[in-house]
Amino acid sequence: PYIRPKQRCSFVRKSALTARQGKQVYIRKEFHDRILKITQVIGQNEITIADYLDNVMAHHFGQFQNDVAESFNRHIKSYNNL
């Protein structure tokens, strides 16, 4: 998305996560490279990739919580009927 000048992306901020308290995940190299640029340039090297990803995931689950729960419940019913 377009980021207006002097306006920092809501994902590019410190998060409550301490990286060592989290879990390691693998992402595509192209995503890693893009996120690294975002954190370095927009975040002015003040945030980590872990901060950025934590903020993106918190937003995602906040936005799509009902959809995820509905899909999960539908699939768990199928699973339990096996």
Side-chain angles (χ1 to χ4, degrees):
Y2 174 75
I3 299 173
R4 284 178 245 142
K6 297 186 181 181
Q7 178 183 2
R8 292 179 66 163
C9 176
S10 62
F11 304 131
V12 184
R13 60 183 167 75
K14 288 283 189 189
S15 74
L17 175 72
T18 301
R20 70 178 173 275
Q21 293 174 333
K23 298 289 183 183
Q24 182 177 6
V25 297
Y26 295 95
I27 60 173
R28 297 179 201 181
K29 181 179 179 346
E30 66 185 279
F31 289 169
H32 181 275
D33 294 345
R34 289 174 74 179
I35 295 167
L36 184 60
K37 268 189 203 174
I38 290 167
T39 60
Q40 290 173 337
V41 176
I42 299 173
Q44 300 173 339
N45 288 319
E46 294 176 6
I47 70 161
T48 65
I49 291 175
D51 287 324
Y52 181 84
L53 291 176
D54 189 61
N55 292 327
V56 168
M57 295 309 301
H59 174 77
H60 171 80
F61 286 123
Q63 285 288 117
F64 299 104
Q65 176 178 336
N66 292 339
D67 295 336
V68 171
E70 180 183 315
S71 181
F72 179 85
N73 289 331
R74 190 172 53 252
H75 285 87
I76 197 72
K77 286 177 187 173
S78 301
Y79 177 79
N80 288 333
N81 289 331
L82 293 178

